Amino acid sequence: MDAIVTKGLTKVYDKKIKAVDHVDMDIPSGSIFGLLGPNGAGKTTIIKVLTGLSDITEGDAWIAGFNVRKEPMRVKARVGWVAAEVILDDDLSAWENLWLQARLQRLGDWKDRAGQLLEFFELNDRRKDKVAGFSTGMRKKLEIALALLHQPEVIFMDEPTIGLDANVRRMLWDLITGVNRQFGVTVLLTTHYIEEADRLCDRVSIIDQGKFVASGTPSELKNRVHEDFVEIETSESVTAEKLSAIPGVSNVKSQGKAWVLRVPSAEETLPHIFQALRTDGIRRINVEKPSLESVFLDITGKHLDQAGADVQDFRKFYMNVRRARR
Amino acid sequence: MSTAPPSMLKEAPAHLSKGHDGITGQWSQFWGLYSREFIKTFRNPWVIAMTLIQPFMWLAFFGGMFSAVPDTEIDLFLHLPPGTGYLAFLLPGVLATGMMSIGMFGAMSTIQDKRFGFMKRILITPTSKATVYLAKALGSATRGLVQIPVMLTAALAFGVHFQGSVIGWAAWVIGLICLGIGFSAMFLALTASSTDWQTPGVIANFITMPLMFASGAMFPTSIYPWWMKDIADMNPVGYSAGLSRDVLTYGQFTGSDVAALGYLGLFAIVMIIAGTALASRYLKVE
């Protein structure tokens, strides 16, 4: 059974900005699905249209069997949402936030489950405290508890670990896998962290400029790239021909001031590179073994952290940092 | 019913059958959002302090302008019945203009929810924009009513004596509620598509000033030029101030006061219907 299905899903803003471009998805129930892409790739927009926050321009989508366009309220009763920015009402206590969520989800019998969730997320002793005084990790836990209160079939997690330190990020990774296993809920998470997608997701789609450019399990995607990448930046003037002539180099791509060389084995090819080039002229050299990052690099010619950063995403990031500090 | 892909099931999860459907469900959502407005407002000590202090400031500063002038001369100058005094005349007007401005705070709270993303949290649940709008409009109108007992206490402290029957007082309170609902609904509808902090203030300044002065709230309309009298004839603030003054100050409740109450009720109903329609279409998520 599929929890999320889209056919040709497209979202155009202001009749000219195509944020999502004919996306097809079939996400099995109970799985963790990752949307991996740079800032501005269209990940958040996909969540907005699937949850009914934004209208679909073209195509169609179903969540838990319900059409997003035609039955938005039925869809909303079956989805949970964890925002990148941690959105809670700081003036209310943890319990009051749960109470409000229960009201909005029209739940009649919610207190037992709310208590169990607070126990599960180790927040029970702080249930009466205003959430303004909670740490970032506690706020994230409460946000996930809110998303689970009405027993949704699908949870959307929009860059759930953006701006968090390594410890909180690891704690959240454990929580996300725990929630998926213990509550049997389908998770669609967006991220631009390679390690996160690799570690958490059963399946991943790589998205760039609103389009899915590759999909599969992390292993399948990594197997697409059998070779290593050597990224090199030199002070001496070199040509593609010169680099292609180095033994072992199968492909050469120019990327800004750097060159990206595709080689069967970086360990075997590096000595040849150092022979062919003046070693004192090498400013930077970086070896990329097969990974989701190298898949993205191979397909788009860009690194994930280079592609598509825009002002809005920086604003989102800094807003998150400010809230985390508070 | 839409066509679902064949591999997807559409059985309702067991827990959903325990929830509220239809009107009960909408009431549940409305009550949650309406209560939140209240909790947020009165958990802030500054809001409580300002709510208590502001009526005293109004009466002290505005009423104090004429304190050196004997009541008899004020009554003569403003064409008031002998023995009225300016404070007793002013109080009903201040209450009416106060209800007008509370709508601005409802609009600001909506914009705050949009800016901090909370509107997304609300609308990602099966809550309609109309329910959000009604909860905000009625929440801010109710918040405005809190000033009534505070203002009456302040007026008593300043030596004002009240009159009127139980029916008259009930009509006066209902009129104020209608005025508050009408203006809250109007402000919220005007700012439904905005996310800018400045918008409610700019709109409030634009609307409040002319409606406050062209209402008879501060001074009797008998001393107005003709064009201000024409505005006052349509201005709901003026109807509320007139009704309040008749009941509280002059101790009467006449046929014209019943008509004023009807006008205020109509104002509230029209604004709520028009505002709900506008908000359902234009209420922005962020």
Side-chain angles (χ1 to χ4, degrees):
Chain A
M1 187 175 75
D2 290 326
I4 303 172
V5 174
T6 69
K7 305 282 182 206
L9 187 70
T10 301
K11 175 67 188 180
V12 181
Y13 287 111
D14 301 328
K15 295 182 180 175
K16 55 188 176 192
I17 302 163
K18 199 173 258 187
V20 179
D21 191 358
H22 294 89
V23 163
D24 294 327
M25 283 192 280
D26 295 280
I27 301 176
S29 193
S31 63
I32 301 182
F33 182 85
L35 281 177
L36 177 68
N39 293 331
K43 306 184 298 291
T44 300
T45 306
I46 287 178
I47 290 185
K48 281 185 184 170
V49 293
L50 289 181
T51 52
L53 284 180
S54 193
D55 294 335
I56 296 171
T57 309
E58 197 185 318
D60 235 330
W62 293 264
I63 307 277
F66 292 95
N67 189 288
V68 174
R69 279 175 187 268
K70 296 169 186 166
E71 299 156 292
M73 291 304 181
R74 287 175 186 271
V75 168
K76 288 175 181 192
R78 287 160 177 81
V79 302
W81 174 61
V82 177
E85 308 97 322
V86 191
I87 298 170
L88 298 167
D89 193 324
D90 284 3
D91 293 324
L92 305 184
S93 68
W95 188 255
E96 286 166 339
N97 269 283
L98 285 159
W99 167 82
L100 181 59
Q101 184 73 4
R103 285 265 172 198
L104 296 177
Q105 283 290 353
R106 308 171 168 198
L107 303 181
D109 184 13
W110 60 277
K111 288 182 183 172
D112 286 348
R113 182 167 172 83
Q116 287 162 9
L117 286 167
L118 288 178
E119 284 285 349
F120 181 80
F121 290 109
E122 297 169 339
L123 292 170
N124 206 19
D125 54 339
R126 300 291 301 272
R127 62 159 65 191
K128 290 181 182 170
D129 294 349
K130 276 169 78 169
V131 298
F134 281 18
S135 68
T136 309
M138 291 165 71
R139 293 167 67 82
K140 272 283 177 192
K141 284 177 175 179
L142 180 59
E143 203 180 27
I144 299 173
L146 292 181
L148 287 168
L149 183 64
H150 57 293
Q151 299 181 46
E153 287 159 71
V154 176
I155 287 192
F156 294 98
M157 295 189 172
D158 189 9
E159 309 215 38
T161 62
I162 191 170
L164 302 180
D165 65 43
N167 287 335
V168 179
R169 182 175 297 174
R170 269 192 290 277
M171 176 206 76
L172 270 177
W173 286 353
D174 292 340
L175 276 181
I176 291 167
T177 47
V179 160
N180 170 250
R181 284 179 195 145
Q182 295 213 21
F183 296 93
V185 65
T186 308
V187 178
L188 186 153
L189 76 88
T190 70
T191 184
H192 60 253
Y193 296 129
I194 301 287
E195 194 190 351
E196 189 164 283
D198 202 1
R199 178 169 166 173
L200 295 180
C201 300
D202 300 314
R203 291 181 66 81
V204 173
S205 280
I206 296 176
I207 181 170
D208 186 41
Q209 296 181 342
K211 287 183 178 169
F212 279 9
V213 291
S215 296
T217 65
S219 305
E220 284 169 355
L221 288 171
K222 282 184 277 189
N223 285 338
R224 286 172 59 126
V225 183
H226 298 292
E227 295 174 302
D228 297 346
F229 288 87
V230 177
E231 197 178 1
I232 190 164
E233 193 178 329
T234 64
S235 58
E236 70 171 302
S237 175
V238 292
T239 61
E241 287 74 26
K242 185 177 180 179
L243 295 170
S244 298
I246 297 172
V249 174
S250 60
N251 184 270
V252 175
K253 271 185 190 171
S254 165
Q255 191 202 316
K257 291 178 183 174
W259 294 93
V260 178
L261 316 181
R262 205 165 165 160
V263 299
S265 163
E267 291 81 355
E268 289 173 14
T269 312
L270 279 175
H272 298 298
I273 292 174
F274 292 134
Q275 270 183 357
L277 303 175
R278 274 178 30 222
T279 48
D280 61 342
I282 296 174
R283 282 185 181 148
R284 181 172 66 88
I285 191 159
N286 178 44
V287 174
E288 198 76 59
K289 304 299 277 183
S291 67
L292 292 177
E293 175 76 44
S294 62
V295 175
F296 189 80
L297 184 66
D298 182 44
I299 294 169
T300 67
K302 296 173 284 190
H303 281 287
L304 264 168
D305 55 4
Q306 286 174 335
D310 60 22
V311 175
Q312 207 171 14
D313 286 297
F314 279 120
R315 194 192 300 157
K316 188 162 93 177
F317 172 74
Y318 283 115
M319 188 161 77
N320 191 48
V321 170
R322 277 203 305 277
R323 287 188 177 170
R325 281 181 181 158
R326 194 174 59 190
Chain B
M1 188 68 75
S2 60
T3 312
S7 61
M8 300 181 81
L9 295 177
K10 298 179 71 170
E11 289 168 9
H15 70 279
L16 290 176
S17 59
K18 293 179 193 167
H20 303 301
D21 290 325
I23 294 291
T24 318
Q26 284 175 12
W27 169 253
S28 166
Q29 294 165 329
F30 170 83
W31 185 249
L33 293 170
Y34 178 82
S35 308
R36 173 176 173 256
E37 292 295 307
F38 243 80
I39 294 169
K40 282 175 76 69
T41 303
F42 294 106
R43 220 164 248 183
N44 184 338
W46 284 104
V47 173
I48 297 168
M50 289 302 115
T51 305
L52 294 175
I53 293 169
Q54 201 180 23
F56 286 90
M57 287 174 64
W58 257 100
L59 294 178
F61 283 88
F62 214 91
M65 287 194 301
F66 298 99
S67 59
V69 184
D71 280 355
T72 47
E73 288 186 34
I74 290 280
D75 295 344
L76 194 66
F77 175 67
L78 295 176
H79 308 166
L80 305 178
T84 304
Y86 189 61
L87 272 184
F89 176 85
L90 177 66
L91 177 83
V94 171
L95 282 168
T97 50
M99 292 305 285
M100 178 173 60
S101 60
I102 52 108
M104 185 178 76
F105 297 107
M108 287 183 77
S109 124
T110 309
I111 283 175
Q112 183 177 331
D113 280 348
K114 291 176 192 171
R115 301 278 295 215
F116 288 112
F118 206 83
M119 191 61 80
K120 277 193 281 187
R121 173 161 296 297
I122 296 169
L123 291 178
I124 225 156
T125 67
T127 308
S128 69
K129 289 179 178 178
T131 305
V132 177
Y133 170 81
L134 288 172
K136 287 277 182 192
L138 297 179
S140 62
T142 313
R143 197 168 21 185
L145 293 177
V146 175
Q147 70 173 329
I148 296 175
V150 179
M151 191 68 102
L152 291 178
T153 309
L156 286 170
F158 277 87
V160 175
H161 298 287
F162 298 116
Q163 305 177 56
S165 62
V166 174
I167 293 174
W169 276 62
W172 163 61
V173 171
I174 292 168
L176 274 181
I177 292 170
C178 291
L179 187 73
I181 290 172
F183 276 111
S184 295
M186 188 172 81
F187 270 109
L188 274 169
L190 289 173
T191 55
S193 67
S194 176
T195 54
D196 187 352
W197 287 113
Q198 300 176 82
T199 308
V202 170
I203 291 176
N205 281 338
F206 182 75
I207 292 174
T208 306
M209 196 269 283
L211 288 188
M212 181 169 74
F213 286 108
S215 67
M218 305 294 159
F219 303 99
T221 54
S222 56
I223 63 172
Y224 285 1
W226 65 267
W227 58 272
M228 277 181 73
K229 278 183 186 165
D230 285 351
I231 296 173
D233 284 344
M234 294 180 291
N235 187 350
V237 180
Y239 283 92
S240 174
L243 171 61
S244 308
R245 205 163 278 138
D246 274 356
V247 172
L248 300 183
T249 310
Y250 307 135
Q252 59 190 26
F253 184 62
T254 62
S256 65
D257 294 320
V258 174
L261 187 60
Y263 187 83
L264 291 168
L266 190 68
F267 171 65
I269 291 167
V270 168
M271 285 299 153
I272 280 284
I273 292 172
T276 306
L278 279 171
S280 297
R281 189 174 169 84
Y282 296 110
L283 183 67
K284 262 193 178 177
V285 172
E286 57 188 345

